[in-house]
């Protein structure tokens, strides 16, 4: 049951964020195409204007872009606030400004469409009542808050019967009555009590969410109807309402409608979760039927949690008489009702002393603050005994929760165990990643110590800079009668330039190209080489 609830239940804040993210993700690709477009011609600008209509339909979730009637309605609403002729101005904006204007256009167009549905109808009150309900809310949820409350009452009745049976079988000193069936049914009864107590806690959470959703739906419907009337009166009172006055009214109308859509998606969730959890509870009824419980009870009076509260409210802790511990009392302590109670509001002393019996604590008795945790008790006597040796009873309660893992989630101790595990894991990781080094003596023998030895290279560099003293060094010189003539002299000259002359005709001479052949270099064993002049004349 705990695993199923954890996987399927979502808090209101997370659900609203998830729905909003889903709405934005639907129109995000189209928004990126619009803001990155480089349309210039009139046809491209008209196509981009139609794409803005698609973005408005996707982001608002009101209608499909494939429905011609819906597209025509959204196009007419967009033309009334942002004509296609203004697309050239839109293209000159920066990308962030385009995205902001798209969001504003989507809000205004949704408000205009919602307002247009009401205008022109004869029965305004009936139309407002019908039109302020989204399509998903026209069919009521299958499980309402009244049905969840009825299931909670039946579950609490079962809780009180299990508690009375266990009180009868277990004395306040933890002694078991073997005549009632031994250890086996006692263990099953305790597990059954844990099961119905956990189901009771889940039902209280679901009932709160269902009631909040129903109240918010009614509030949003009233606010939406009032906003529609205000907008209609403002438009009828003036021949032409300026956009600076009309747009904020349409945006507010759109915001109310979007909130109503979100609530419409969440209003059915608590009932679905409750129906999914019921099979985990009915499994206990197969082990202990109602007839079996009544037989175990006999003449025992079944007390409700309210009756236990009234009976235990007679005694109250006196902080001055028990100054060894810190006690908090209602009416004196600030934010008393908002303090996180240990063991989820159950008495820790009864849990440890009565071998796992669960009794709700009474805040009127007082809260014990011990090691930054707050403990509540079912009676004054239990509070006094627990305060004498709190570590002993805390360890017993933790040991009990280890043997019954379902108590960890029921007592909300999973965060404590997770934090303890995280600290242990972090300490292990830190130990595994720490730097390890060993230290040895540089000179084990004392006789070979060099007092002037320096191992640090940077220290040697600093010493070298000090010796060089380059920053403060200066050169000194003196001039005498013999040294003044040894000065450096320099002269200035001009490099020779290229000269040339021009004549009427170019004159040139030609010489023969020498060509000599040496015979006898290869092929002859006797005889020498012979040089043959093959140079030809110029005129040949």
């Amino acid at each position: 049951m705990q695993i199923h609830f954890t996987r399927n239940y979502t808090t209101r804040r997370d659900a609203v964020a998830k729905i909003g993210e889903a709405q934005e993700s639907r129109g995000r690709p189209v928004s990126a195409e619009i803001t990155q477009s480089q349309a210039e011609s009139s046809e491209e600008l008209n196509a981009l204007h139609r794409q803005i209509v698609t973005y408005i339909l996707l982001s608002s979730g009101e209608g499909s872009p494939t429905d011609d009637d819906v597209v025509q309605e959204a196009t007419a609403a967009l033309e009334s606030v942002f004509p296609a002729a203004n697309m050239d101005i839109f293209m000159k904006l920066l990308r962030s400004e385009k995205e902001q204007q798209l969001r504003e256009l989507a809000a205004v167009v949704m408000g205009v469409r919602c307002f247009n549905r009401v205008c022109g109808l004869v029965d305004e009150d009936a139309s407002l009542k019908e039109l302020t309900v989204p399509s998903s809310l026209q069919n009521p949820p299958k499980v309402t808050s009244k049905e969840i409350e009825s299931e909670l009452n039946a579950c609490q009745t079962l809780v009180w019967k299990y508690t009375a049976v266990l009180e009868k079988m277990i004395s306040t000193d933890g002694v078991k009555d073997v005549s009632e069936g031994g250890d086996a049914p006692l263990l099953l009864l305790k597990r059954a009590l844990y099961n119905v107590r956990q189901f009771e806690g889940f039902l209280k959470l679901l009932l709160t969410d269902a009631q909040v959703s129903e109240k918010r739906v009614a509030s949003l419907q009233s606010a939406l109807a009032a906003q529609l009337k205000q907008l209609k009166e403002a438009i009828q009172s003036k021949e032409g309402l300026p956009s600076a006055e009309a747009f904020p009214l349409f945006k507010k109308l759109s915001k109310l409608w979007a909130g109503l859509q979100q609530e419409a998606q969440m209003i059915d969730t608590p009932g679905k979760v409750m129906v999914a959890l019921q099979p985990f509870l009915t499994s206990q009824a197969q082990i202990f039927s109602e007839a079996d419980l009544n037989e175990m009870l006999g003449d025992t009076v079944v007390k409700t949690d309210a009756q236990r509260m009234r009976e235990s409210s007679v005694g109250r802790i006196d902080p001055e008489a028990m100054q060894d511990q810190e006690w908090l009392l209602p009416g004196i302590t600030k934010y008393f009702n908002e303090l996180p109670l240990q063991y989820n509001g159950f008495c820790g002393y009864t849990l440890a002393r009565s071998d796992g019996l669960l009794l709700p604590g009474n805040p009127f008795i007082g809260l014990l603050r011990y090691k930054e945790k707050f403990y509540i008790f079912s009676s004054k006597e239990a509070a006094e005994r627990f305060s004498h040796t709190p570590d002993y009873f805390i360890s017993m309660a933790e040991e009990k929760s280890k043997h019954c893992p379902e108590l960890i989630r029921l007592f909300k101790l999973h965060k404590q165990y997770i934090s303890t595990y995280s600290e242990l894991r972090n300490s292990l990781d830190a130990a595994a990643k720490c730097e390890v080094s060993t230290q040895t003596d540089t000179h084990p023998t004392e006789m070979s110590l060099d007092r002037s030895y320096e191992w640090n290279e940077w220290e040697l560099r600093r010493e070298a800079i000090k010796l060089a003293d380059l920053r403060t060094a200066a050169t000194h010189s003196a001039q005498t009668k013999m040294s003044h003539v040894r000065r450096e002299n320099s002269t200035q000259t001009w490099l020779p330039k290229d000269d040339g002359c021009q004549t009427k005709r170019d004159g040139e001479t030609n010489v023969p190209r020498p060509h000599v052949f040496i015979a006898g270099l290869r092929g002859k064993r006797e005889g020498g080489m012979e040089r043959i002049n093959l140079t030809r004349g110029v005129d040949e």
Side-chain angles (χ1 to χ4, degrees):
M1 184 198 298
Q2 294 170 348
I3 294 173
H4 183 84
F5 184 82
T6 304
R7 290 181 175 177
N8 294 275
Y9 175 75
T10 306
T11 60
R12 282 186 54 84
R13 180 181 298 178
D14 295 340
V16 170
K18 191 175 182 179
I19 294 173
E21 179 63 25
Q23 290 179 351
E24 291 182 2
S25 63
R26 287 197 299 265
R28 194 173 295 145
V30 183
S31 175
E33 293 179 5
I34 295 173
T35 55
Q36 295 176 4
S37 177
Q38 300 294 332
E40 296 181 356
S41 63
S42 59
E43 296 180 358
E44 293 177 347
L45 292 177
N46 291 332
L48 192 63
H49 190 267
R50 292 191 296 270
Q51 204 168 6
I52 293 177
V53 175
T54 304
Y55 166 77
I56 291 173
L57 293 176
L58 290 175
S59 61
S60 62
E62 284 293 309
S64 173
T66 58
D67 191 347
D68 296 336
D69 296 336
V70 174
V71 172
Q72 186 176 1
E73 178 190 357
T75 303
L78 180 61
E79 282 286 345
S80 64
V81 297
F82 186 75
N86 295 340
M87 287 300 299
D88 54 346
I89 302 176
F90 178 81
M91 296 302 298
K92 296 178 181 178
L93 299 176
L94 299 175
R95 182 174 180 179
S96 58
E97 296 175 348
K98 290 180 181 178
E99 294 175 352
Q100 178 65 23
Q101 188 164 359
L102 285 176
R103 288 191 291 268
E104 292 182 358
L105 287 175
V108 174
V109 168
M110 184 190 291
V112 171
R113 291 177 63 194
C114 184
F115 177 77
N116 290 338
R117 297 174 192 174
V118 184
C119 292
L121 297 177
V122 179
D123 192 357
E124 294 183 2
D125 294 336
S127 63
L128 288 177
K129 186 176 180 180
E130 295 175 359
L131 292 173
T132 53
V133 179
S135 58
S136 55
L137 275 179
Q138 292 178 0
N139 297 325
K142 297 180 180 179
V143 181
T144 61
S145 61
K146 293 183 179 180
E147 295 177 357
I148 298 177
E149 187 174 3
S150 176
E151 185 69 22
L152 177 61
N153 294 333
C155 177
Q156 288 177 338
T157 302
L158 195 59
V159 166
W160 301 330
K161 288 184 178 181
Y162 277 121
T163 304
V165 170
L166 285 171
E167 276 186 319
K168 181 181 178 181
M169 298 178 66
I170 303 175
S171 64
T172 56
D173 295 331
V175 180
K176 304 173 185 178
D177 189 356
V178 184
S179 62
E180 296 295 337
D183 292 340
L186 182 62
L187 179 61
L188 292 176
L189 281 170
K190 286 189 290 185
R191 293 295 179 90
L193 176 62
Y194 302 157
N195 183 263
V196 292
R197 277 293 186 185
Q198 183 66 83
F199 189 63
E200 177 192 15
F202 289 156
L203 286 181
K204 288 181 179 179
L205 190 59
L206 295 175
L207 178 61
T208 302
D209 291 347
Q211 291 176 346
V212 170
S213 294
E214 292 176 359
K215 290 180 181 178
R216 184 162 176 77
V217 166
S219 175
L220 287 172
Q221 286 179 348
S222 301
L224 189 62
Q227 184 66 21
L228 283 170
K229 289 183 179 180
Q230 179 184 357
L231 186 57
K232 191 171 184 179
E233 292 174 359
I235 292 176
Q236 290 178 351
S237 62
K238 298 181 181 180
E239 296 181 356
L241 188 64
S243 59
E245 299 179 9
F247 282 6
L249 297 177
F250 285 121
K251 288 181 182 179
K252 187 176 180 180
L253 187 65
S254 173
K255 185 177 180 180
L256 293 172
W257 182 258
L260 198 58
Q261 283 183 317
Q262 291 179 350
E263 293 297 330
Q265 298 181 32
M266 295 188 298
I267 195 170
D268 203 22
T269 303
K272 292 180 180 178
V273 176
M274 186 199 74
V275 173
L277 293 179
Q278 284 179 343
F280 298 99
L281 185 68
T282 54
S283 62
Q284 296 293 341
Q286 299 176 1
I287 303 175
F288 298 106
S289 62
E290 187 175 357
D292 294 337
L293 281 178
N294 294 332
E295 184 180 355
M296 292 180 186
L297 284 171
D299 299 334
T300 306
V301 179
V302 178
K303 298 180 182 179
T304 65
D305 290 345
Q307 291 175 348
R308 295 179 186 276
M309 292 284 184
R310 289 193 296 269
E311 292 177 0
S312 60
S313 297
V314 179
R316 192 174 187 178
I317 291 295
D318 185 8
E320 296 182 357
M322 303 178 65
Q323 296 183 359
D324 54 338
Q325 299 290 351
E326 182 179 1
W327 293 91
L328 306 178
L329 299 177
I332 301 175
T333 306
K334 192 175 182 181
Y335 306 113
F336 182 84
N337 295 328
E338 299 178 6
L339 296 176
L341 301 178
Q342 194 71 358
Y343 309 127
N344 199 15
F346 293 103
C347 179
Y349 174 81
T350 307
L351 172 69
R353 193 64 178 170
S354 300
D355 194 23
L357 179 62
L358 298 184
L359 290 181
N362 188 353
F364 180 81
I365 298 174
L367 300 182
L368 172 63
R369 182 175 182 178
Y370 183 73
K371 294 183 179 180
E372 302 303 324
K373 294 178 182 178
F374 304 94
Y375 297 88
I376 193 171
F377 306 98
S378 58
S379 63
K380 181 180 178 181
E381 181 182 1
E384 293 175 349
R385 293 186 178 183
F386 187 93
S387 62
H388 293 325
T389 55
D391 291 328
Y392 171 73
F393 292 105
I394 291 173
S395 62
M396 289 182 65
E398 291 181 354
E399 191 68 22
K400 185 62 181 177
S401 63
K402 291 177 182 178
H403 286 84
C404 298
E406 61 269 25
L407 292 178
I408 297 176
R409 181 64 175 81
L410 177 60
F411 293 159
K412 297 181 179 180
L413 297 176
H414 55 284
K415 297 180 180 179
Q416 175 180 341
Y417 286 126
I418 290 173
S419 62
T420 305
Y421 172 76
S422 300
E423 293 175 359
L424 179 61
R425 182 64 182 270
N426 293 335
S427 63
L428 292 176
D429 292 343
K433 296 179 181 179
C434 68
E435 296 181 358
V436 179
S437 61
T438 58
Q439 182 179 2
T440 57
D441 294 334
T442 306
H443 299 285
T445 305
E446 190 69 21
M447 298 299 294
S448 60
L449 284 178
D450 185 3
R451 300 296 181 183
S452 62
Y453 173 77
E454 180 60 52
W455 60 271
N456 193 345
E457 180 182 355
W458 294 103
E459 186 64 28
L460 294 175
R461 292 189 180 191
R462 283 192 289 270
E463 292 296 332
I465 293 174
K466 290 181 182 180
L467 293 176
D469 200 14
L470 298 177
R471 292 182 301 169
T472 58
T475 303
H476 299 276
S477 63
Q479 186 177 1
T480 61
K481 292 181 179 181
M482 297 300 296
S483 64
H484 73 284
V485 296
R486 299 176 183 174
R487 65 181 181 179
E488 296 180 356
N489 295 329
S490 61
T491 58
Q492 184 177 6
T493 60
W494 284 268
L495 296 176
K497 61 182 179 179
D498 296 335
D499 294 334
C501 61
Q502 185 177 7
T503 58
K504 291 183 179 181
R505 64 179 182 179
D506 294 336
E508 59 182 9
T509 60
N510 196 2
V511 296
R513 185 174 181 180
H515 191 188
V516 178
F517 177 75
I518 301 175
L521 291 177
R522 64 182 65 178
K524 288 185 178 183
R525 294 184 178 180
E526 297 179 356
M529 294 182 297
E530 184 179 357
R531 185 174 182 273
I532 302 174
N533 188 8
L534 299 179
T535 302
R536 302 179 65 180
V538 178
D539 54 347
E540 292 184 5

